[in-house]
Amino acid sequence: MLNPNFETTQTRKRTAGFFVRESSRNKRLRVEMPINSNKQICIDDLSAGMKRSANWRRGLQAKFPDDSRNGRAAERLDRLASEISDLSDESWKRLEQHYNWASAKWSDAVSQASRQVAFRNVDDLPAFVERLVSILSQPSIAA
């Protein structure tokens, strides 16, 4: 719940159960977060990544209209973006150890896994989570 009367001197601060952020009107707001807010934020990030990839696939479909695979992949990504809100606790436990909303590795892995939807046997939510965990479990190569 937003409480516009809450004042603080910091623009963003995370504490258990809530965080404080500065609004577009330069007012500070207290935002109550559910106990498992990281899971919900992760779900939102995954959905957004899937939607971006679906839009990318639609662009490829327009560029290559004779190849119907991109259109099918875009539809499947849209479906997964809706289904991700039902992420099971078991799947969340597998993702939780890798999840960091500010991590480039996380973002890149979501993009890579999303690009494989409808290709490489990534056709449903369990297969997507499996592929994402597999990508995230690979050792990073330092540049």
Side-chain angles (χ1 to χ4, degrees):
M1 299 292 221
L2 297 178
N3 182 351
N5 297 323
F6 183 78
E7 292 294 328
T8 184
T9 58
Q10 296 182 355
T11 58
R12 186 170 186 180
K13 175 179 135 183
R14 286 184 181 253
T15 58
F18 69 92
F19 71 92
V20 177
R21 70 175 175 89
E22 192 169 326
S23 74
S24 60
R25 296 181 184 162
N26 291 329
K27 294 190 182 205
R28 287 163 179 65
L29 305 171
R30 179 178 172 165
V31 180
E32 298 291 333
M33 300 295 289
I35 291 173
N36 199 0
S37 63
N38 274 349
K39 180 180 177 182
Q40 186 58 53
I41 296 168
C42 178
I43 287 169
D44 294 344
D45 286 350
L46 289 170
S47 178
M50 291 172 183
K51 289 174 184 177
R52 278 190 301 275
S53 291
N55 289 334
W56 174 70
R57 287 283 180 198
R58 278 189 272 283
L60 290 176
Q61 181 66 40
K63 189 174 182 179
F64 304 105
D66 293 336
D67 187 352
S68 63
R69 296 176 301 166
N70 287 305
R72 284 194 305 267
E75 289 174 8
R76 190 146 308 139
L77 282 158
D78 285 335
R79 189 184 78 221
L80 289 175
S82 295
E83 292 175 1
I84 196 69
S85 62
D86 296 326
L87 184 69
S88 70
D89 287 340
E90 179 183 323
S91 292
W92 167 239
K93 285 190 188 307
R94 295 188 67 212
L95 292 172
E96 184 176 23
Q97 63 185 330
H98 302 284
Y99 179 64
N100 178 346
W101 65 270
S103 165
K105 181 177 180 179
W106 170 265
S107 183
D108 291 345
V110 171
S111 179
Q112 186 178 349
S114 294
R115 288 191 311 266
Q116 294 179 19
V117 168
F119 296 83
R120 305 192 189 255
N121 298 318
V122 181
D123 296 318
D124 58 20
L125 195 52
F128 180 85
V129 170
E130 182 66 34
R131 186 61 50 100
L132 181 56
V133 169
S134 173
I135 292 166
L136 289 164
S137 297
Q138 295 173 2
S140 297
I141 298 173

